[in-house]
Structure formats: structure tokens, C-alpha cells
Amino acid sequence: MDLDAFVAAHRDEWDRLERLVRRRGRLTGPEADELVALYRAASTHLSTLRSAAPDPVLLGRLSSLVARARTAIAGAHDPGWRDVVRFLTVGFPAAVYLNRRWWIGAALAFAVVSVAIAWWVAANPAVQASIGAPEQIRQLVEHDFEDYYSANPAGSFAARVWVNNAWVAAACLALGVFLGIPVVYVLWMNAVNVAASAGLMAAAGRLDVFFGLITPHGLLELTAVFVAAGAGLRLGWTVVDPGPRGRGEALAETGRATLGMALGLACVLLVSGVIEAFVTPSGLPTWARIAIGVLAEALFLAYVWVYGRRAVLAGEVGDIARDARADILPVAG
């Protein structure tokens, strides 16, 4: 192919397409039809150049022109409130509902392990001695555990708790691809920390204080961690058994749904962080603080089961919108 002759033959068409693209939104009917015709011609030219004369500069210019013309014709996707509403009422709850067996299983395993470790710590003075000196344990159960929630200004404490919990959830979501092994480790470490504190408080006869402080925010906070862990474990299992789909396709779909859950869980953890900072250390009666935590947990579970189940029955899989999953723009090379 004579590249110079090809460019000379079609330069006027490309220049005209460029001018029409710049005026998009202000085109007459005939000009819109011309834009479509020139876009199709330029797409053919781009395909021809790629196979016969792969000049990188020319390909880059024509690829950009074709992409912008395509956007002018099809319309640019403008994320807005409609996308936010769809995510909150369809995408996120559908992903959580679809993963329910994984995160409920993770929650049950966590509860069994935590209760077993807490009982072991509470019933064995030797185990307690291995955790800390008697003075340290007394300081923890009589002062530090309770003071932790009121030692810092509520606003900064809420932000710190939110960031910390968000990192834990993100680790479960992102590291699940490594066959879920890091997720199991994260759950184990959290179970040990919670159970050790519970065992020490129980041995000191202050288990009521423990649950009075943990329950208001802990129900929702741990549920968010379990949801993240379940999603990470499911992602890890997809690596092992992708099902009837190809492994790449299965990982792409599950991975997009998993990463999309990070935003939703960040919102859930923000709520639990606010409760932990403003409700847990408040002067409200214990029953009132616990009631707030139970209400927050019940609302989240109802939200998942109502919106998530409805979305799943409608065919949603927690992935991005179907029309965007295979959207590929022309590129040079």
C-alpha cells in the first residue's frame, strides 16, 4: 500500500469527521447522517491501515478520531445518581446475597472458633498468664478495654476505626484470589483477638461489660468483615473451580463483583464506625446501646434480603451493567 496516497485520498473525509465530532450536539439531521457514514468509513480505513500499513502515528490519530466519533454517535456514559442508585439497590445487595452461603459460613466458623478460644482462655489461668502479667490483665479488664472507646475525640476515633476496618475488608476482598488462604488468616487473627479479650473479661466477671461495649457496633462491623471474607473465599474458589465458564471469564465476573463490593462495604463500615465512636461510649443505658446495634444489623440484613433477593431473581449477578462488560474502544497497534 502507498501510505501517502491513501492518506491523501481520505484526508478530507477525516478532517470533515473531525469537524462534525467537535460540533456534536449541534448537528442538523443531514449532518448527523453524514457523521455516521464518515465514522463507518473511518473505521474501515483504520482496519485497513492496521493490517497493511501499521504506521503508529497515523494509527494513533485515526484510532482517537474513530473513538471520539463513536462516542458522539452512541453518547458518552455519564455516571450520575442513576448509577449510584442502581449500585445501592441492585449491584451491591445482589453481590452480597449471592455470596450469602460463603459469608454466613465464615460467620459461623468465626463464632465457633471464638467461643472455643474464649472458653479456653477464661478456664485456664496458665493461658491467661501467657497473655500478660496479672497487673497488665487487671489494667485491661478494669480500665483499658472500656477506656479505649472514649480516650479520643469521637470524630477522629470514628475515622480511625473506619480506615482500619476498611483495610481489613479490602484485604479480604483483594487477597482472596490467592486461593482464599490470606482470608482465612485474617479471620483467624480477628477471632483470636476478640476471643482473648472475651476470655479475660469473663475470667474477671466482666463479660457483661464486654458484650455491652462490643455489641452496639460489633454486629454490623463483623458482618461487613464476614461479607468481605465470603467474597474473598468465593473468588479464591473460582480460581480452583470456575464452573462451566472459562477461568478467565469466571474470574473477571467474580472479580468485578468482588471489587465492586468494596465501595458498599466501606459505607457499611462507616455506619459501624459512627456507632462505635458516638454510641458505644455514650451515657445511654446498655440496653439502648445494644438495641441500636441490633437495629443497624437488622436493617442491613433486611436490605440485603429484600433488594438482593429481588435483584438476583431478576437475573443480576452483582456485576457491572451488562452493556458495559465488553465495551472496547479502538486502539492503535
Side-chain angles (χ1 to χ4, degrees):
M1 172 190 287
D2 187 334
L3 185 59
D4 292 335
F6 187 86
V7 172
H10 300 291
R11 179 184 290 113
D12 290 343
E13 296 176 66
W14 301 340
D15 290 343
R16 175 59 176 167
L17 179 59
E18 178 81 39
R19 289 193 295 272
L20 292 174
V21 168
R22 289 177 179 174
R23 293 182 53 236
R24 62 180 178 179
R26 304 189 304 275
L27 300 177
T28 64
E31 287 176 331
D33 293 338
E34 184 184 6
L35 172 64
V36 173
L38 290 173
Y39 161 72
R40 290 174 176 169
S43 298
T44 302
H45 299 159
L46 178 61
S47 177
T48 302
L49 286 170
R50 280 177 174 166
S51 59
D55 178 85
V57 176
L58 181 58
L59 283 174
R61 180 204 168 192
L62 199 55
S63 293
S64 175
L65 177 59
V66 169
R68 288 186 290 119
R70 180 173 179 268
T71 300
I73 294 170
H77 180 63
D78 182 20
W81 286 110
R82 182 166 53 183
D83 295 311
V84 174
V85 171
R86 184 188 183 280
F87 173 76
L88 293 176
T89 60
V90 177
F92 176 60
V96 177
Y97 184 80
L98 279 171
N99 284 332
R100 65 192 183 280
R101 291 182 178 86
W102 289 94
W103 59 264
I104 290 175
L108 292 175
F110 183 94
V112 170
V113 171
S114 297
V115 170
I117 295 176
W119 176 85
W120 182 54
V121 171
N124 292 276
V127 176
Q128 299 168 28
S130 69
I131 295 175
E135 295 78 10
Q136 293 175 317
I137 294 176
R138 188 179 304 110
Q139 178 67 25
L140 171 67
V141 298
E142 293 181 1
H143 302 285
D144 292 351
F145 188 84
E146 190 169 359
D147 293 345
Y148 167 77
Y149 298 100
S150 56
N152 296 290
S156 61
F157 181 65
R160 188 177 68 181
V161 167
W162 179 44
V163 171
N164 177 70
N165 292 332
W167 273 112
V168 172
C172 290
L173 291 168
L175 299 178
V177 72
F178 297 107
L179 303 182
I181 296 173
V183 179
V184 175
Y185 175 77
V186 170
L187 286 176
W188 168 256
M189 293 305 299
N190 276 271
V192 169
N193 289 333
V194 171
S197 297
L200 293 174
M201 295 290 283
R206 306 200 75 201
L207 196 58
D208 57 332
V209 176
F210 174 83
F211 283 114
L213 292 171
I214 286 290
T215 305
H217 64 274
L219 288 175
L220 190 60
E221 178 183 298
L222 286 174
T223 299
V225 172
F226 297 148
V227 170
L233 291 171
R234 185 188 179 201
L235 182 62
W237 183 250
T238 303
V239 178
V240 178
D241 180 16
R245 301 164 296 176
R247 183 169 277 103
E249 178 186 354
L251 279 174
E253 180 180 305
T254 306
R256 286 192 301 263
T258 299
L259 292 178
M261 291 173 68
L263 179 59
L265 290 177
C267 296
V268 176
L269 289 170
L270 177 61
V271 175
S272 72
V274 170
I275 294 175
E276 184 171 0
F278 293 94
V279 176
T280 297
S282 71
L284 292 172
T286 301
W287 66 264
R289 290 186 279 113
I290 292 178
I292 291 173
V294 171
L295 177 61
E297 174 76 355
L299 288 174
F300 176 71
L301 294 178
Y303 158 74
V304 169
W305 251 257
V306 172
Y307 286 99
R309 184 172 182 273
R310 182 171 64 189
V312 170
L313 291 176
E316 293 292 335
V317 294
D319 201 351
I320 59 177
R322 189 172 284 106
D323 60 355
R325 294 174 197 170
D327 192 53
I328 302 174
L329 292 175
V331 295

